[in-house]
Amino acid sequence: MGRDSAVLDPSREFAYTLADFERVRSMIHRHAGIALADSKRDLVYSRLARRLRALDIETFRRYLDQLEQAPESDEWEHFTNALTTNLTSFFREAHHFDILRDQLRSLPPGKRILIWCCAASTGEEPYSIAMTACEAFGRLDPPVSILATDIATDVLDTAQRGVYAMERVESLSKERLKKFFLRGGGSNEGQVKVVDALKRLVTFRQLNLLEPHWGLKGPFSALFCRNIMIYFDKPTQAEILQRFVPLIADGGHLYMGHSETLSNPPGNIQSIGRTTYRKRSVVRS
Ligand SMILES: C[S@@+](CC[C@H](N)C(=O)[O-])C[C@H]1O[C@@H](n2cnc3c(N)ncnc32)[C@H](O)[C@@H]1O
């Protein structure tokens, strides 16, 4: 028996080999662009073991065979949901929201401002954008529409509900809590709910950044693409970045995650510091 086909830990509930891990790695890379490190071997087991249990399948090999043989199956959604990392928080990397507030205030009045948050996870990021927009315009109905997308459908369901455990909002100011959240009572004790006015500013939609067509027109005055590029390999990052450029409005901003500094930004994208980039306005003669 080859090393790759040896069962890694016979005490486990489901047979799982190194070859299975390599297969998962290549499947999620092809499907979602996610490059899983060697260190994720055990994590992959625990995340997918739940699916094998739910489907009553005894080995990873059989589970992966079934998945590969059914490219249209709903199981791909569960597979993807299980393997994505959805860590996020309200006003994460807070400096971006200060920059956004100033940016929104400086835009000429008139047109509705479009913002795309392309890895929205459980919603904390798009709702932080929405709160910033309300604060920038001093009203609960600012002229802003936020498109919040993610590949994972389970996190989008949470985002759409807008219900969070109290601990998730503990770091927010009293003023924000009061203005933007409703406190749950009775069986909802310990939870808060985003107010409807904030929800109205955000549209949630499933979107895989690897899809060849996103079906988006833009142009977006701000594009939040934070803490997702790190999961992609360099060619995938470069390709997605190139596809962002025409969707960003002239003078619009691209917000990246703290460890996602662009070493080689496309020609008309320039750094304005703190992992924030600006698309140069085209001077028309
Ligand atoms: C670590 S979270 C970042 C959340 C948020 N942007 C933040 O910075 O707090 C990364 C998100 O990217 C999503 N994701 C992973 N691969 C994706 C893809 N190919 N297309 C769209 N979203 C993807 C995951 O589902 C996850 O919710």
Side-chain angles (χ1 to χ4, degrees):
M1 199 193 285
R3 182 179 155 265
D4 286 3
S5 53
V7 170
L8 286 168
D9 177 354
S11 68
R12 276 178 172 153
E13 186 180 356
F14 304 105
Y16 177 56
T17 66
L18 208 52
D20 295 328
F21 172 62
E22 291 302 342
R23 236 173 123 188
V24 170
R25 202 139 77 156
S26 115
M27 286 162 76
I28 194 67
H29 185 253
R30 259 182 285 132
H31 181 66
I34 298 170
L36 288 175
D38 283 336
S39 58
K40 303 287 188 214
R41 219 157 65 182
D42 292 342
L43 184 89
V44 163
Y45 176 88
S46 62
R47 298 257 186 101
L48 289 179
R50 284 180 244 148
R51 293 309 306 154
L52 273 75
R53 213 169 287 129
L55 297 167
D56 205 15
I57 296 176
E58 279 168 15
T59 68
F60 270 68
R61 186 166 159 192
R62 192 157 310 145
Y63 173 70
L64 298 173
D65 283 347
Q66 285 190 9
L67 203 56
E68 280 194 320
Q69 282 156 17
E72 302 300 325
S73 148
D74 289 349
E75 187 53 30
W76 278 96
E77 190 174 319
H78 294 291
F79 177 75
T80 309
N81 288 352
L83 294 176
T84 52
T85 301
N86 312 113
L87 184 80
T88 187
S89 57
F90 285 102
F91 291 95
R92 181 181 192 184
E93 298 166 43
H95 56 276
H96 279 159
F97 298 93
D98 296 336
I99 301 174
L100 176 68
R101 185 199 52 227
D102 295 346
Q103 185 202 357
L104 292 175
R105 283 186 177 153
S106 71
L107 288 172
K111 271 197 183 163
R112 198 156 184 88
I113 300 163
L114 304 182
I115 299 179
W116 180 19
C117 172
C118 75
S121 188
T122 37
E124 287 85 337
E125 187 175 49
Y127 288 131
S128 302
I129 297 171
M131 286 185 251
T132 305
C134 292
E135 290 169 352
F137 287 90
R139 48 191 245 225
L140 281 171
D141 61 345
V144 170
S145 295
I146 301 155
L147 173 67
T149 62
D150 199 286
I151 192 174
T153 50
D154 54 350
V155 290
L156 286 174
D157 288 345
T158 304
Q160 216 138 15
R161 282 182 62 225
V163 175
Y164 299 93
M166 198 67 202
E167 303 91 78
R168 311 269 316 152
V169 294
E170 253 163 17
S171 62
L172 299 190
S173 67
K174 279 206 178 76
E175 198 189 339
R176 278 183 176 155
L177 269 178
K178 201 165 157 221
K179 198 160 163 193
F180 301 119
F181 294 88
L182 300 170
R183 231 175 235 270
S187 61
N188 297 320
E189 189 76 49
Q191 294 189 317
V192 291
K193 189 172 175 214
V194 168
V195 296
D196 285 347
L198 218 52
K199 278 191 175 178
R200 277 196 285 274
L201 300 177
V202 190
T203 304
F204 291 99
R205 193 189 122 184
Q206 198 249 358
L207 186 149
N208 179 354
L209 287 172
L210 241 61
E211 277 166 23
H213 305 290
W214 294 334
L216 301 178
K217 255 181 43 211
F220 297 100
S221 295
L223 200 172
F224 277 71
C225 179
R226 306 190 314 159
N227 306 302
I228 173 171
M229 287 293 200
I230 36 164
Y231 298 103
F232 299 152
D233 56 28
K234 292 267 178 251
T236 309
Q237 291 178 4
E239 194 186 312
I240 291 174
L241 207 57
Q242 283 295 349
R243 293 176 62 195
F244 280 160
V245 179
L247 290 173
I248 302 175
D250 284 352
H253 285 181
L254 171 64
Y255 297 90
M256 304 291 297
H258 62 284
S259 57
E260 297 170 320
T261 303
L262 303 177
S263 48
N264 199 7
N268 46 352
I269 298 286
Q270 59 184 157
S271 169
I272 53 168
R274 311 204 71 181
T275 52
T276 308
Y277 298 82
R278 184 173 179 277
K279 181 171 163 183
R280 271 194 207 100
S281 307
V282 180
V283 182
R284 292 185 179 86
S285 51

